[in-house]
Amino acid sequence: MPESHAVVSTTSGSRYINRLCKHWQHKLSVAHDEHQGRVTFDGGVCHMRAEADALHLQLTAEDAATRERLEEVVAVHLERMASREALDIVWTPAVS
């Protein structure tokens, strides 16, 4: 299963996880607490972990096309949640 990850510099990672999970919980399977979250999409899963100065994202999908689509979905929603902060979200495919 194709994987990718991104490390986003921010001091608001916990807040973004909370906002993203609350947003998606109406349509998707979501689990989260103050420092981490998991969202299960159709065809993939995104794990999020907040640290003091970064938000770590890890995405696993059923195929490369789905991974790329979910990378875009997560990035667009994260940027929307962080409207007051410019985020640099760069996905890096995992090496198999």
Side-chain angles (χ1 to χ4, degrees), residues 1-90:
M1 294 182 69
E3 293 184 16
S4 61
H5 67 276
V7 179
V8 182
S9 293
T10 181
T11 58
S12 301
S14 290
R15 184 167 62 95
Y16 297 150
I17 289 171
N18 185 49
R19 291 185 73 193
L20 285 168
C21 288
K22 284 186 177 186
H23 174 75
W24 280 320
Q25 73 185 4
H26 303 290
K27 294 182 180 181
L28 303 168
S29 175
V30 170
H32 68 98
D33 62 27
E34 188 177 338
H35 300 288
Q36 59 188 356
R38 184 192 77 243
V39 180
T40 303
F41 296 95
D42 185 28
V45 177
C46 181
H47 293 272
M48 301 171 279
R49 180 175 45 88
E51 292 185 354
D53 60 353
L55 174 60
H56 296 262
L57 306 170
Q58 182 172 347
L59 187 63
T60 304
E62 59 190 22
D63 56 48
T66 301
R67 186 199 74 220
E68 290 175 9
R69 179 179 59 82
L70 292 177
E71 288 172 351
E72 181 69 17
V73 167
V74 171
V76 165
H77 282 80
L78 180 55
E79 288 169 343
R80 190 177 305 147
M81 297 298 163
S83 60
R84 295 183 180 142
E85 179 181 10
L87 300 178
D88 187 22
I89 306 166
V90 179

